Amino acid sequence: MKNILLLVHADAGQEARLQAALDLTRALEGHLTCLDVIQLPVLGGDYVSVSGQAILLEDEQAREAENRRRLEERLLEEDVPWDMLRATGDIAGCVSRAAGLADLIVVNRQLDTFSPINMRAIATSVAVKSRKPLVAVSDSCRSFAVDRALVAWDGSEPAMAALRAVTPLLKLATYVQVFEVTDGRRRSLAEEAAAYLSRHDVHPVVRVLRDEVRDPAELIREACKECAATYCVMGAFGHSPMKEAIFGGVTRRMLSSSDVPLFLAH
């Protein structure tokens, strides 16, 4: 896990993404690739003139040029290797297309500050379309500490993908907990995840909680607080009706309200 891809765009979440990406790049001794996305105008109404679209696009290009200039000045002072790429289009599509050789993508889980950009939808789309792991942070995040991790485990294919992808990062942690919520109708799978990690010299604490009533997302957030986790690992589900009904709501609610950065994979 050496190639970190960072979404660059002049929005309220950029500083959080930047700080998390810098911390991750340092911790992993990797390379930071910044993708500056010029978003095509999203317009309402039945008719907008071509000249109107061109003016809006020109404004967006000017904002991003200045944003890119300021960011490049800052990166020259940082102790990480980096490069800057540019793309024009919708944010999720641009990030997914640029992710071919990325090991990890850094985006926002949601913008808590008002914005017309739906970062929660972007995070979900990038996780599903790129098939690459991503870190999703709140817009108030200012660091990414690798020392304490909680793995939200349910034995699903996305959870397995997340565990395989995050293992290099977990090896840097001083504490890892595998946390499973069960209704008691199937056997616990948490020990299997712990056994997998142990073969990679990661030795987690296993906690299995039986609860048939409370929202799993709420239980995961509480578990993160109780063990002072600095980030949470979980599978990311798409929007097929069955998966959305069973699992997707947990992903969606964690993207909306997690107190810690999320490490997601699909």
Side-chain angles (χ1 to χ4, degrees), residues 56-181:
L56 290 173
L57 180 57
E58 185 176 342
D59 289 343
E60 172 76 357
Q61 290 171 330
R63 281 193 300 272
E64 285 306 315
E66 177 60 19
N67 181 56
R68 186 169 59 250
R69 182 192 66 77
R70 292 196 303 266
L71 188 59
E72 287 175 339
E73 287 182 354
R74 292 180 60 184
L75 288 169
L76 289 172
E77 304 299 321
E78 298 291 344
D79 56 345
V80 299
W82 61 276
D83 65 321
M84 182 77 70
L85 305 178
R86 304 180 194 178
T88 299
D90 71 282
I91 292 177
C94 287
V95 173
S96 297
R97 286 189 292 273
L101 293 177
D103 299 316
L104 184 63
I105 305 167
V106 181
V107 294
N108 290 104
R109 61 166 180 77
Q110 179 173 287
L111 294 182
D112 298 320
T113 303
F114 173 77
S115 172
I117 300 173
N118 187 344
M119 281 291 180
R120 189 178 72 184
I122 289 170
T124 302
S125 177
V126 169
V128 173
K129 290 180 179 178
S130 73
R131 298 282 173 166
K132 296 298 179 72
L134 59 87
V135 164
V137 299
S138 68
D139 54 10
S140 62
C141 177
R142 291 299 178 267
S143 65
F144 189 104
V146 300
D147 55 325
R148 298 183 69 86
L150 182 137
V151 179
W153 186 253
D154 61 9
S156 65
E157 290 184 8
M160 292 179 190
L163 190 67
R164 291 193 300 268
V166 79
T167 298
L169 199 58
L170 294 182
K171 294 178 78 168
L172 303 177
T174 58
Y175 176 90
V176 177
Q177 180 181 133
V178 176
F179 177 71
E180 181 180 9
V181 178

